Amino acid sequence: MITLAVLDIAGTTVDEKNAVYDVLAAVVEDHGTPVDDAALRRWMGADKREALAALTGDPDAVEDLHTAFVSRLHDAYAMIRPAPLPGVPEALAALRAAGVRVALTTGFDRQVTDPLLAALDWHVGDQLDAVVCASEVAAGRPHPHMIHRAMEIVGVTDPAEVLVAGDTALDIRAGRAARAGVVAGVLTGAQSCEELTAERPTHVLDGVADIPALLRG
């Protein structure tokens, strides 16, 4: 039985028009590094500092690059106004009503995550049971540390009771590394069905809105 759903934010529960990757690419380009689309796609879902270091090849500049990324992403979000993806608020409510705790995990740090969730009026204790940022654990995706931290926060010890869902290959790899009982790719984000299927998820769904029906099975 699933008792915890661990869900990504951008592209999985929140529609932000792919702004995070547009901004990431712009920051890398402005640093003087040509953006390779294939490389960018490999870092979708990752800790943003790790992604910036890898994409620019300049780990010494990461903090300055990340500061620029955060500033530009705030500007982008002020223009596009991120919103919940269709059916997500209802899905979160249905999961929690059924006794399934809900945690969000993200490659953002709190500088981006907290204002974003506040703008959506999503709060721990109301719509959510936990929020974990990559900067708060030893390493981001594809490592399972954010999932393990979410389990620790809500008191779930058996990974077979955990559902992980995300829109990137790294989300799926993290779920598999955590040995989650359900590892679902969702098609609401930046990566294709083929890219997600290649990572051998247990399910590929149209979106998070389909999760309550999946669990009712």
Side-chain angles (χ1 to χ4, degrees):
M1 184 174 86
I2 296 298
T3 61
L4 171 63
V6 179
L7 312 173
D8 174 50
I9 296 182
T12 299
T13 54
V14 177
D15 180 7
E16 45 87 72
K17 311 299 182 188
N18 211 39
V20 58
Y21 299 115
D22 291 342
V23 170
L24 190 66
V27 170
V28 173
E29 284 184 343
D30 287 353
H31 182 67
T33 307
V35 176
D36 180 284
D37 184 64
L40 182 65
R41 297 184 78 79
R42 286 196 296 273
W43 285 95
M44 288 179 172
D47 176 279
K48 298 306 174 280
R49 287 180 173 84
E50 294 176 12
L52 288 163
L55 290 167
T56 62
D58 189 358
D60 293 336
V62 163
E63 288 307 317
D64 287 342
L65 291 167
H66 189 263
T67 297
F69 168 78
V70 169
S71 176
R72 293 172 71 159
L73 189 62
H74 278 309
D75 291 344
Y77 281 173
M79 294 180 63
I80 65 166
R81 302 193 178 206
L85 280 157
V88 168
E90 295 82 359
L92 301 186
L95 288 169
R96 297 185 83 234
V100 178
R101 273 72 58 89
V102 175
L104 299 184
T105 60
T106 178
F108 297 146
D109 67 7
R110 290 284 174 177
Q111 295 177 78
V112 175
T113 302
D114 287 349
L116 176 60
L117 296 181
L120 299 172
D121 201 24
W122 286 3
H123 305 281
V124 172
D126 293 328
Q127 298 81 3
L128 310 170
D129 296 281
V131 177
V132 182
C133 298
S135 57
E136 298 166 351
V137 295
R141 305 176 186 119
H143 300 284
H145 305 315
M146 286 195 288
I147 299 167
H148 290 163
R149 177 59 181 147
M151 293 171 62
E152 180 182 9
I153 290 170
V154 304
V156 172
T157 58
D158 185 356
E161 296 182 10
V162 178
L163 174 148
V164 174
D167 66 304
T168 70
L170 292 187
D171 290 303
I172 295 170
R173 290 180 198 168
R176 287 176 55 81
R179 299 185 179 181
V182 175
V183 181
V186 297
L187 299 175
T188 47
Q191 293 193 324
S192 67
C193 184
E194 290 75 15
E195 288 173 297
L196 299 179
T197 301
E199 301 299 330
R200 296 178 293 130
T202 61
H203 301 79
V204 175
L205 306 174
D206 287 338
V208 164
D210 294 338
I211 290 176
L214 172 68
L215 297 186
R216 289 194 298 269

